[in-house]
Amino acid sequence: MWFLNLELRQALYLCPSTCSEYVTGEGIPKDRDYEPRTICEHLQYLFALLQNSNRRYIDPSGFVKALGLDTGQQQDAQEFSKLFMSLLEDTLSKQKNPDVRNIVQKQFCGEYAYVTVCNQCGRESKLISKFYELELNIQGHKQLTDCITEFLKEEKLEGDNRYFCETCQSKQNATRKIRLLSLPCTLNLQLMRFVFDRQTGHKKKLNTYIGFSELLDMEPFMEQKDGVSVYELSAVLIHRGVSAYSGHYIAHVKDPQTGEWYKFNDEDIEKMEGKKLQLGIEEDLAEPSKSQTRKPKCGKGTHCSRNAYMLVYRLQTREKSVTAEVPAFLQELVERDNCKFEEWCNEMADMRKQSVVRGKIKHEEVKELYQRLPAEAGCPYEFVSLEWLQKWLDESAPPKPIDNTACLCSHGKLHPDKISIMKRISEYVADYFYRRYGGGPRLNVKALCKDCVVERCRILRLKNQLNEDYKTVTNLLKITVKGNDGFWVGKSSLRSWRQLALEQLNEQDDDADQSNGKMNGDAQSKDESNEEKREEEEELNFNEDLVCPHGDLCISENERKVVSKEAWMKLKQYFPKAPEFPYSKECCSQCKILEREGEENEALHKMMASEQKTALQNLFQDKCRPCLGSWPQETDELYIVSQFFVEEWRKFVRRPTRCSPVSSVGNSALLCPHGGLMFTFASMTKEDSKLIALMWPSEWEAIQKLFVVDHVIKIIRMQTAETSPESMLFDSEPKLCPECREGLLCQQQRDLREYSQATIYVHKVVDNKKVMKEAAPELNVSSSEAEEEREEAKPEGEQDPDFNQTNGGAKRQKISHQNYIVYQKQGIRRSTRHRKVRGEKALLVSANQTLKELKIQIMHAFSVAPFDQNLSIDGKILNDDTATLGDLGVIPESVILLKADEPIADYAAMDDVMQGKEDFVIIL
């Protein structure tokens, strides 16, 4: 469309080049490709190629790259046109030549005024603005002129929307409308087919028909009717598709010199028959719709389209058409490109000729050998790879050397199962192939592997016999075995022996199918993969479910059964390597010893758990626990242990046979690397109370007797006779470490501002009332969340999900200050688990995400447009769309209140907001 604007093309040709070789007149070296440096130079070069190149189409990749566009994302073409015109206008404004400097304003820029008239005093207020296109609403209209009329119609300002008149010095009823002051030579009319659908929260395309004429008289719409205002249609931009987020763009543009219409569809350019615009084909190709209206009849000189989204009109003039001549510098570049293109065409033609010659030679060769290819009865023959033979027949290029390794067995001979991928040919043709193309190995009549044939027959015989043997073994298993003649077989193996036998036979069959490893030249990797496969399936081998870890008969009689000798002999035919255990075989002595030790350990664990539970009954039941907030009068000293120790100990006491005993108290996790306490007295009564457990002195004495204590942590009440409870002072051993405590708090705050993929909750407020979870928590908590809150005893060795430490306190790894931060964070997360309230929705967000992006998420979750959302957190209004969630203080597990405004009827404004026109930036 820009190329066929001759005035714009000629102005761009007049722009001086920044290329130093051109400026100095030396010319560009032929051994170096021309690389435009500015946007204008890119457009110059593109226009010159479009005008005089011999190519069928021009690739604008260099121009696209210079603009910094993302070719993987489809964007609105009209929006791009507006932004690029602004860039071009700014770039050309620095030119000295006025014809170049003012080309964008002269061709595309017009003026209109927003006029407001006070109904009381009649005062007019004007705001003059420039425009490069008129954005016309098409909803509810059938003709282009109706759309323009609505664009210019009066709007009444009444009620709350009254206008403040400076003459009256008060708000008055008024009227407002747009008046067209001047029109450009090229009038761009944007048909707003993409509108916002409030129900779905997305943009949609209006597929309604709009009628427009080839001649458009704008005089009735102008404020001053003293100029020439008749325009003729010069371009129609089509968006083909039913969705606003996908589709295909096509341009119909009129050549101003010849008056002929062209259709530009990517690299396909089609000249229309005659000199008339034809849109019928484009309308037929559009996707059908159930609600599609019937196409209205169009008179002479008019057109109807439901896919046209931009119309371009040119001012009708009787002046002679402008001629745009390509400058000598650009013409030289075009001719150089034409030479390269001609050379490429010649190379392609030579390649085609060579291909034809090779094809003729190959045809003669195939014609000569094809009749002698089959081996006649009684004549010598050889086997050749069928795949290679097909390539020899199909491809014009000479095939690679013959490769028969894919059909070889592990003995280096022809595998009987690979006959199907081979072709038997005469010895005469085989001699010709190997003499001309080489390769191998050659496989004659003696190449078939006898060993593989015998093994294959054995496996087939066993497979056929398997069903009969299964019935025989099933009957033999029903017979009661007397004496010591029987054999022990695993019950699991007996249940699945037929399937195991079939799998084993298939594996043997597959092993027999394997080649000697030379096919891909990677025998080692194949052997390794087979070894890994055997290791993975080792547990499925027959009767190995009776083998104990020491390689002997297991001690559990519930897992085995005695079978007769006849049954065992049948099974041995299929599993010759299966472990054999006669009935008289003794069980593993080591397993018996371990079994006794295990029983003793269980008894010991039960005794330990009972003793510890009796000594620490209140701690186990969590009754009568001391609290710093209300210091008990019975003592002046309290002791601290980690809550993790208490939880692990309770698990052991509840299930001593399934959990390992806790042997030590690991208080080092509560201390910093310098040995100082990491908690203040205030934090131990609030946010850190879930990480520690306070102990009575009597309990501490019992703990010291039952466990190994690495560090003693004690809280001491400092008081005198005059000290009141409100002014109570405390001391600790060891002392608080202020530096590490401050570092921990800073790290926690930093983590809250640098999170990613964390959960927050958005609660929609209805009538300014929020349903609080405290009002009825049993109604607001889901069953799954209640289940999570319930403590569960886990099997031995299973890790606690909130504290990644081992069960044994003595084996627990000492954690550094950094590790403690993780420990602290996990503990906080556990103690502040959010219980979702009805009407809330959980969203995954990151700290670097902007508030505007969060509003888009909320729109999809609650169907509330971003500009209707009023968000707040802890009483603070969130209104800076460009600020990040971290800067706004939105941390994981936060609850954001959403209050939705009443819907508005200004769909055009809504569509502007959703398209984000103010934020749409292309880096140029």
Side-chain angles (χ1 to χ4, degrees):
M1 187 178 69
W2 295 334
F3 169 73
L4 291 177
N5 186 313
L6 297 180
E7 291 82 1
L8 176 63
R9 194 197 314 176
Q10 180 62 28
L12 282 172
Y13 284 161
L14 294 176
C15 286
S17 174
T18 60
C19 182
S20 60
E21 292 85 352
Y22 173 61
V23 173
T24 58
E26 297 177 359
I28 300 218
K30 294 185 178 181
D31 57 347
R32 194 177 73 187
D33 292 334
Y34 171 63
E35 295 182 2
R37 300 177 184 177
T38 65
I39 299 299
C40 288
E41 290 181 2
H42 274 285
L43 208 54
Q44 272 184 343
Y45 189 42
L46 269 179
F47 283 179
L49 289 173
L50 284 170
Q51 187 167 341
N52 292 334
S53 176
N54 293 336
R55 297 180 184 270
R56 189 167 61 89
Y57 59 87
I58 305 301
D59 182 6
S61 298
F63 179 58
V64 172
K65 185 178 179 181
L67 292 175
L69 298 179
D70 180 9
T71 56
Q73 180 180 5
Q74 177 170 292
Q75 297 177 353
D76 187 74
Q78 182 269 343
E79 189 72 24
F80 165 72
S81 175
K82 181 193 300 183
L83 292 169
F84 184 76
M85 279 295 121
S86 177
L87 169 70
L88 196 61
E89 181 180 12
D90 182 65
T91 303
L92 297 179
S93 64
K94 304 177 180 62
Q95 298 294 324
K96 296 180 180 180
N97 189 337
D99 294 335
V100 179
R101 184 172 61 247
N102 302 322
I103 186 63
V104 174
Q105 293 91 332
K106 183 178 179 182
Q107 283 295 314
F108 304 102
C109 185
E111 282 188 351
Y112 55 58
Y114 288 97
V115 181
T116 305
V117 180
C118 176
N119 292 353
Q120 181 67 23
C121 65
R123 178 182 181 272
E124 283 191 358
S125 174
K126 284 187 179 182
L127 177 62
I128 299 177
S129 300
K130 292 183 178 181
F131 69 89
Y132 293 87
E133 67 279 316
L134 298 180
E135 297 182 354
L136 305 179
N137 176 36
I138 65 172
Q139 199 163 18
H141 300 298
K142 296 182 179 180
Q143 296 295 327
L144 177 64
T145 52
D146 297 336
C147 301
I148 300 176
T149 302
E150 184 194 355
F151 180 78
L152 300 174
K153 73 176 182 180
E154 286 188 352
E155 175 189 4
K156 293 184 178 181
L157 305 180
E158 299 175 344
D160 295 336
N161 198 28
R162 287 183 298 171
Y163 165 71
F164 182 83
C165 178
E166 294 184 359
T167 302
C168 301
Q169 287 298 307
S170 61
K171 285 190 174 182
Q172 300 291 337
N173 293 338
T175 58
R176 176 176 293 170
K177 67 177 181 178
I178 296 176
R179 291 180 183 173
L180 292 177
L181 304 181
S182 64
L183 295 175
C185 296
T186 302
L187 179 62
N188 293 329
L189 301 179
Q190 168 68 21
L191 306 182
M192 298 177 64
R193 289 198 176 273
F194 305 128
V195 298
F196 180 73
D197 188 351
R198 180 176 288 275
Q199 293 182 351
T200 62
H202 298 281
K203 287 194 298 182
K204 69 176 182 179
K205 180 184 176 184
L206 298 178
N207 291 295
T208 55
Y209 279 101
I210 289 294
F212 52 93
S213 61
E214 293 184 0
L215 292 179
L216 176 62
D217 187 4
M218 292 294 293
E219 185 176 1
F221 306 108
M222 297 294 294
E223 183 179 25
Q224 297 181 356
K225 302 177 174 53
D226 55 354
V228 179
S229 302
V230 178
Y231 286 79
E232 58 181 353
L233 187 65
S234 64
V236 180
L237 273 62
I238 298 290
H239 175 272
R240 197 172 68 198
V242 295
S243 172
Y245 297 96
S246 62
H248 187 60
Y249 289 100
I250 297 175
H252 295 259
V253 190
K254 182 180 181 181
D255 188 334
Q257 292 179 314
T258 63
E260 297 171 331
W261 282 89
Y262 290 85
K263 183 178 75 171
F264 297 88
N265 184 3
D266 291 343
E267 68 271 15
D268 295 327
I269 296 91
E270 179 183 353
K271 180 181 177 181
M272 297 297 175
E273 295 181 3
K275 294 186 178 182
K276 293 184 180 181
L277 173 64
Q278 300 176 23
L279 293 177
I281 299 177
E282 301 306 323
E283 299 302 320
D284 295 339
L285 290 176
E287 291 81 353
S289 175
K290 294 182 180 179
S291 60
Q292 177 178 339
T293 57
R294 182 176 298 179
K295 182 178 179 180
K297 294 182 179 180
C298 299
K300 185 177 181 181
T302 61
H303 303 276
C304 290
S305 173
R306 64 189 184 97
N307 287 320
Y309 81 105
M310 188 173 180
L311 304 176
V312 181
Y313 282 87
R314 293 268 297 170
L315 187 63
Q316 197 176 44
T317 177
R318 296 180 180 179
E319 296 179 3
K320 187 178 180 181
S321 180
V322 179
T323 57
E325 296 183 1
V326 179
F329 162 64
L330 291 174
Q331 183 60 33
E332 179 185 349
L333 295 174
V334 172
E335 291 175 357
R336 183 184 302 181
D337 182 78
N338 286 339
C339 291
K340 291 182 179 180
F341 179 66
E342 187 176 353
E343 291 176 0
W344 179 82
C345 292
N346 293 333
E347 290 178 2
M348 292 297 102
D350 292 341
M351 290 177 63
R352 283 194 293 270
K353 290 180 181 179
Q354 294 176 10
S355 177
V356 171
V357 172
R358 287 195 302 268
K360 290 182 178 179
I361 296 174
K362 185 63 175 291
H363 178 74
E364 294 297 328
E365 181 185 23
V366 171
K367 184 177 180 181
E368 178 185 356
L369 296 178
Y370 190 75
Q371 299 297 330
R372 306 189 63 173
L373 191 64
E376 298 180 359
C379 297
Y381 60 86
E382 291 190 22
F383 291 97
V384 176
S385 169
L386 185 59
E387 181 183 4
W388 183 92
L389 195 60
Q390 288 174 340
K391 290 182 179 180
W392 174 78
L393 287 169
D394 297 339
E395 296 181 1
S396 59
K400 296 180 180 179
I402 300 172
D403 186 7
N404 291 327
T405 55
C407 64
L408 300 182
C409 67
S410 57
H411 310 106
K413 294 187 176 183
L414 180 59
H415 196 288
D417 289 340
K418 302 296 183 179
I419 297 294
S420 58
I421 65 172
M422 306 298 290
K423 177 68 176 178
R424 195 179 73 157
I425 62 176
S426 64
E427 189 178 55
Y428 171 83
V429 177
D431 290 337
Y432 176 84
F433 283 158
Y434 285 110
R435 184 170 60 253
R436 177 163 184 178
Y437 302 109
R442 299 187 67 163
L443 304 175
N444 54 24
V445 66
K446 299 180 179 180
L448 189 63
C449 183
K450 182 179 180 181
D451 295 337
C452 289
V453 172
V454 172
E455 178 64 17
R456 184 79 176 108
C457 292
R458 185 187 72 83
I459 293 173
L460 290 174
R461 187 170 60 251
L462 286 176
K463 285 185 177 181
N464 294 332
Q465 187 67 27
L466 181 59
N467 291 331
E468 294 297 327
D469 288 344
Y470 176 75
K471 297 178 182 178
T472 303
V473 171
T474 302
N475 293 328
L476 290 174
L477 292 177
K478 298 177 182 179
I479 302 175
T480 304
V481 181
K482 298 180 180 180
N484 297 330
D485 294 336
F487 291 84
W488 289 112
V489 180
K491 292 182 179 179
S492 175
S493 295
L494 284 177
R495 285 193 297 268
S496 58
W497 79 267
R498 181 169 64 171
Q499 182 64 26
L500 289 173
L502 185 60
E503 291 177 359
Q504 182 170 289
L505 291 175
N506 288 333
E507 287 178 4
Q508 295 177 10
D509 209 359
D510 292 341
D511 291 340
D513 288 345
Q514 297 294 336
S515 69
N516 61 356
K518 298 178 182 178
M519 180 175 64
N520 296 322
D522 193 9
Q524 183 178 359
S525 62
K526 184 175 295 186
D527 294 340
E528 289 174 355
S529 62
N530 290 338
E531 184 66 26
E532 291 175 0
K533 183 177 179 181
R534 285 194 294 270
E535 289 178 359
E536 292 176 358
E537 300 180 353
E538 193 173 3
E539 59 182 4
L540 299 177
N541 291 341
F542 182 76
N543 216 29
E544 288 190 354
D545 49 338
L546 294 186
V547 181
C548 72
H550 311 102
D552 213 336
L553 182 63
C554 67
I555 59 176
S556 176
E557 293 189 4
N558 294 329
E559 298 177 1
R560 48 193 166 101
K561 178 182 180 179
V562 63
V563 301
S564 63
K565 184 177 181 180
E566 292 79 6
W568 176 250
M569 289 298 107
K570 282 288 184 183
L571 295 172
K572 285 283 285 186
Q573 292 180 9
Y574 295 94
F575 310 103
K577 297 181 181 180
E580 184 175 302
F581 299 108
Y583 181 77
S584 57
K585 176 71 174 180
E586 293 291 335
C587 297
C588 178
S589 58
Q590 299 182 56
C591 289
K592 291 180 180 179
I593 296 174
L594 292 176
E595 184 181 27
R596 288 195 298 269
E597 292 178 352
E599 293 174 353
E600 293 173 357
N601 287 335
E602 288 185 2
L604 179 61
H605 289 178
K606 289 180 181 179
M607 183 178 66
M608 289 174 59
S610 177
E611 179 184 355
Q612 294 177 8
K613 182 177 180 181
T614 303
L616 300 170
Q617 182 67 31
N618 290 337
L619 180 63
F620 176 74
Q621 297 180 352
D622 203 14
K623 295 192 306 184
C624 304
R625 307 309 312 149
C627 177
L628 289 179
S630 57
W631 188 282
Q633 297 295 327
E634 294 83 358
T635 180
D636 291 334
E637 295 181 349
L638 293 176
Y639 293 84
I640 292 179
V641 296
S642 69
Q643 186 65 31
F644 173 74
F645 159 76
V646 177
E647 293 175 355
E648 293 298 304
W649 173 74
R650 286 175 180 167
K651 292 178 186 177
F652 166 69
V653 173
R654 287 191 181 97
R655 295 190 177 184
T657 60
R658 298 186 61 181
C659 299
S660 300
V662 179
S663 59
S664 65
V665 178
N667 275 349
S668 60
L670 305 179
L671 304 177
C672 73
H674 312 108
L677 187 61
M678 291 294 292
F679 306 103
T680 63
F681 304 114
S683 70
M684 284 190 284
T685 62
K686 296 178 182 178
E687 66 268 15
D688 294 330
S689 60
K690 297 296 182 179
L691 300 178
I692 63 170
L694 294 174
M695 314 292 294
W696 298 101
S698 58
E699 292 176 326
W700 183 251
E701 291 180 4
I703 284 179
Q704 286 184 313
K705 293 178 181 178
L706 296 172
F707 307 97
V708 177
V709 181
D710 56 354
H711 294 282
V712 179
I713 304 177
K714 182 167 56 174
I715 303 295
I716 306 167
R717 177 172 58 179
M718 308 294 294
Q719 67 175 353
T720 62
E722 296 80 13
T723 305
S724 62
E726 291 79 8
S727 59
M728 193 74 67
L729 299 177
F730 301 96
D731 195 8
S732 65
E733 294 181 3
K735 303 290 186 182
L736 174 71
C737 183
E739 294 180 359
C740 293
R741 174 67 183 175
E742 186 67 23
L744 174 62
L745 294 177
C746 293
Q747 179 66 34
Q748 289 177 344
Q749 292 299 321
R750 187 158 52 250
D751 291 340
L752 291 177
R753 292 179 179 273
E754 297 178 357
Y755 58 87
S756 62
Q757 292 299 302
T759 301
I760 66 169
Y761 300 89
V762 179
H763 184 92
K764 187 175 181 181
V765 178
V766 181
D767 297 333
N768 294 324
K769 295 180 181 179
K770 181 188 176 191
V771 181
M772 299 300 293
K773 65 179 181 180
E774 290 80 8
E778 68 278 0
L779 298 178
N780 296 323
V781 182
S782 64
S783 60
S784 61
E785 292 168 334
E787 186 68 20
E788 291 176 359
E789 292 291 328
R790 191 181 304 122
E791 183 178 7
E792 296 180 356
K794 294 180 177 60
E796 182 178 357
E798 185 173 345
Q799 295 179 337
D800 190 290
D802 291 308
F803 296 89
N804 188 19
Q805 300 186 17
T806 57
N807 289 327
K811 297 180 180 179
R812 187 161 55 97
Q813 181 182 1
K814 292 185 178 181
I815 53 179
S816 63
H817 176 63
Q818 184 66 27
N819 291 335
Y820 177 77
I821 292 174
V822 178
Y823 175 95
Q824 174 82 347
K825 285 168 58 182
Q826 291 172 336
I828 291 176
R829 183 170 64 251
R830 180 176 182 176
S831 62
T832 59
R833 179 183 286 118
H834 178 80
R835 292 184 175 181
K836 196 164 65 172
V837 183
R838 289 179 181 177
E840 282 184 359
K841 292 189 179 182
L843 302 179
L844 285 178
V845 298
S846 301
N848 59 355
Q849 183 176 326
T850 63
L851 181 62
K852 182 176 181 180
E853 293 170 339
L854 174 62
K855 286 184 176 181
I856 299 298
Q857 287 183 261
I858 295 175
M859 180 189 70
H860 293 300
F862 289 92
S863 298
V864 178
F867 43 79
D868 288 339
Q869 299 175 17
N870 294 307
L871 305 180
S872 63
I873 179 172
D874 297 331
K876 176 185 175 184
I877 303 298
L878 306 179
N879 52 16
D880 187 357
D881 286 347
T882 62
T884 64
L885 300 187
D887 295 337
L888 294 173
V890 180
I891 63 175
E893 303 293 328
S894 294
V895 179
I896 295 179
L897 298 185
L898 164 65
K899 183 177 182 301
D901 287 340
E902 291 297 324
I904 63 176
D906 190 356
Y907 290 97
M910 187 183 306
D911 191 54
D912 286 349
V913 173
M914 291 310 301
Q915 292 186 48
K917 292 187 176 181
E918 295 179 358
D919 298 327
F920 187 89
V921 178
I922 295 180
I923 301 175
L924 303 174

